[in-house]
Amino acid sequence: MVNRNLLGRKTRFAYLAITEPWPKVSGFAKVDLSTGDVQKYVYGDGKYGGEPLFLPEVSGYGEDCGYIMVFVHDEEKVKSELQIINAVSMKLEATVTLPSRVPYGFHGTFMSNDDLMKQALC
């Protein structure tokens, strides 16, 4: 995943799923494609989820200015949550407990109402 505002152009950062233990996704890595620097974020002990989604901040100035959102399932507690991670600091900003389990491999996207209306009119 990269900042979708830069699709088709050279990007500096990529966010890649960490599949340890295979085939479960236990976290993601932020890779600086310019320097080779890698920062890892792990969902937590016994927690696995899907691949990361980068949501750019509307007024963001840097390519990595935004949030990583990911659905995570705690196998021990049998609970699912949405984790929201600051893409610059790679720190957890918020956790939203979900009322039901989100299956592994679930894919989704976030879009503005304007973008959704443009899609509907095509």
Side-chain angles (χ1 to χ4, degrees), residues 38-92:
V38 176
Q39 294 177 288
K40 293 182 180 180
Y41 177 85
V42 178
Y43 300 146
D45 290 338
K47 293 183 177 184
Y48 303 97
E51 58 189 336
L53 172 74
F54 180 84
L55 187 63
E57 198 171 283
V58 177
S59 61
Y61 295 103
E63 179 183 328
D64 61 345
C65 191
Y67 299 91
I68 304 296
M69 302 178 80
V70 63
F71 292 112
V72 175
H73 179 68
D74 186 323
E75 291 189 341
E76 187 175 309
K77 295 180 181 175
V78 193
K79 300 275 184 186
S80 288
E81 62 191 21
L82 172 68
Q83 290 187 2
I84 303 170
I85 300 99
N86 182 306
V88 175
S89 68
M90 293 291 284
K91 302 288 184 197
L92 182 67

